[in-house]
Amino acid sequence: MRLEKLAVLFCLIGCLTSPARICHADDSAAAGFANSQMANWHQWRGPLSNGIAPQGDPPTTWDENTNVRWKVTPPGEGSSTPIIWDDKIFLLTAIPTDREVELPAEPEKPVVPSVPGAPAPRRAKRPSNVHQFVVLCLDRATGNTLWQHVATEQVPHEGHHPDHGYASFSPTTDGQHLYVSFGSRGIFCYDLGGRQVWNRDLGDMETYASFGEGTSPVIHNDSLIVNWDHQGESFLIVLDARTGETRWKVDREPVTSWATPLVVEYEGRTQLIVNGTKRVRSYDLKTGEVIWECGGQVSAAIPCPVTYDGLVYCMTGFRGSALYAIPLSAHGDITDSEHVAWHKHQGTPYVPSPLLYGDLLYFTGSNAAILSCLDAKTGDEVFERQRLQGLKNIYASPVGAAERIYIAGRDGVVMVLKHGRQLEVLTTNTLEDGFDASPAIVGRQLFLRGKMNLYCLEAK
């Protein structure tokens, strides 16, 4: 049996036997979601939170005239990955308007370098015009807009990095409701028909050098998880997904990070694993208690953790490199201890998250087209820091399906590799756009959100 089929089986067994699974009106609804989850892309990094589409088989070749089922140009700007549930696609966008407001003068705030001795970046300028923060629902078959709602209209309280934006959060769904984060602009819950159910204002973030926000929310049963790491009072909060009310909230260090949390059920306990600058922690999803923590990460935590066979892999790659394989059985502070399974200090990603495919862990070096592959259990090198000729800079995270790996570049080039212990390039494809958002795969379709367009690619 193929590894991805085994992963599906284990996931379904976990969903149906976990004591924490009760979140729907009845057991049939929970079982239905578990089955549908594998056939969809309901969250950032896909159904298994590792970049794999277990039932996917998208095309390997395309251009502007070949295997493009449809191409649409959404309004506004956004770099978040769309999610797909059955016949609907959901994505976020921010639309600047012509309405200007007069802003009060703000005192200049010094930016402390994230690494001692490094030059401090210039703080991004705050806009003065009103932005619409919009949720879009598209028809998967045609790309036509089914509904479009303005969640809120605001003047952003700070600017963003030139490569960033105000709609960098991927939404998520439990098959019944859509959960959306616009960060400082609010958290929103909709039904899949577009009716707003509730919203929450968690305050304003002050991100490092006003680089911007982008940590995606995570849904697990009836808990909605939001990480709020910034230069102010940072916290991790769990909301009741049905009402938006706070279940618990714990403080974190005042340092900006962008890594989306990972939820793992292990030995009857649900761990909520949050990577951050200098340190990663596991929290008990029920109580917020810290189960274990491990130092060693470097600055600007963006890559999301992934898990395999009792280990979780956490990495950072800004002005340094760190990759730690940590047992889910850990307790307390295991920094620099023998409890760490293995670790590496070279070739890790800055922006892209890793891809965990079977027992192989793939990741890029910084934001460059340099790929490494390790044996996930042992940390042994399968191949290390291999340059992908034809690709340049990469922000998007790699995805996998049908024994293939898809890596999208910022200049519109997407490379397709063979999954395995030898680096083998299958095809290199180019579209007239650039890709910072990560690809999404559902069935025979590959979805690529570019800087201008959203593509649905499907072999004819």
Side-chain angles (χ1 to χ4, degrees), residues 8-9 28 30 63 107 147 179 190 212 262 275 295 299 309-310 338 360 382 419 426 445-447 449 455:
V8 174
L9 177 61
S28 61
D63 58 32
W147 53 262
Y179 303 95
Y190 293 84
L262 173 70
N275 201 8
S299 300
D309 197 21
E338 69 279 1
L360 297 182
V382 177
H419 163 52
L426 298 176
Q445 296 176 336
L446 173 67
F447 297 89
R449 183 183 190 173
Y455 292 83

Side-chain angles (χ1 to χ4, degrees), residues 229 252 257 259 274-281 297-298 300-301 316:
D229 284 354
R252 287 174 53 81
S257 72
V274 185
N275 201 8
T277 293
K278 306 298 183 184
R279 183 169 292 267
V280 58
R281 290 186 176 89
Q297 298 297 316
V298 295
T316 43

Side-chain angles (χ1 to χ4, degrees), residues 10-18 21 30 33-34 37 221 265:
F10 293 153
C11 183
L12 291 176
I13 292 172
C15 289
L16 295 174
T17 61
S18 167
R21 66 181 170 84
F33 174 73
Q37 176 182 338
N221 294 337
E265 294 190 8

Side-chain angles (χ1 to χ4, degrees), residues 57-100:
D57 188 11
T60 59
T61 59
W62 61 83
D63 58 32
E64 289 288 340
N65 300 308
T66 307
N67 288 337
V68 178
R69 175 160 179 166
W70 50 258
K71 170 185 173 182
V72 298
T73 304
E77 302 171 348
S79 59
S80 61
T81 295
I83 65 165
I84 300 94
W85 189 261
D86 293 340
D87 58 353
K88 293 182 174 67
I89 302 169
F90 302 98
L91 70 157
L92 309 185
T93 183
I95 304 174
T97 72
D98 295 332
R99 286 174 285 159
E100 297 276 342

Side-chain angles (χ1 to χ4, degrees), residues 50-229:
N50 58 7
I52 299 298
Q55 300 179 18
D57 188 11
T60 59
T61 59
W62 61 83
D63 58 32
E64 289 288 340
N65 300 308
T66 307
N67 288 337
V68 178
R69 175 160 179 166
W70 50 258
K71 170 185 173 182
V72 298
T73 304
E77 302 171 348
S79 59
S80 61
T81 295
I83 65 165
I84 300 94
W85 189 261
D86 293 340
D87 58 353
K88 293 182 174 67
I89 302 169
F90 302 98
L91 70 157
L92 309 185
T93 183
I95 304 174
T97 72
D98 295 332
R99 286 174 285 159
E100 297 276 342
V101 299
E102 185 175 349
L103 300 175
E106 290 186 319
E108 184 66 25
K109 299 178 182 178
V111 178
V112 179
S114 59
V115 176
R122 180 177 297 178
R123 188 180 298 277
K125 184 180 179 180
R126 179 187 181 185
S128 59
N129 55 319
V130 174
H131 284 57
Q132 294 182 333
F133 296 89
V134 175
V135 184
L136 284 169
C137 176
L138 308 182
D139 180 78
R140 180 179 159 195
T142 64
N144 295 335
T145 299
L146 297 176
W147 53 262
Q148 175 177 329
H149 292 307
V150 178
T152 183
E153 291 188 342
Q154 298 182 28
V155 178
H157 70 290
E158 64 177 18
H160 60 74
H161 189 280
D163 293 339
H164 204 50
Y166 293 120
S168 300
F169 318 79
S170 291
T172 186
T173 182
D174 57 7
Q176 299 181 16
H177 292 91
L178 179 72
Y179 303 95
V180 170
S181 173
F182 282 111
S184 298
R185 267 60 64 183
I187 314 296
F188 303 87
C189 172
Y190 293 84
D191 65 25
L192 300 192
R195 180 182 66 89
Q196 189 176 126
V197 178
W198 56 260
N199 67 80
R200 282 288 305 270
D201 182 353
L202 299 181
D204 286 345
M205 280 191 176
E206 180 186 342
T207 59
Y208 176 73
S210 298
F211 272 5
E213 309 170 22
T215 302
S216 299
V218 177
I219 185 70
H220 183 78
N221 294 337
D222 57 354
S223 295
L224 185 69
I225 301 138
V226 179
N227 193 40
W228 202 265
D229 284 354

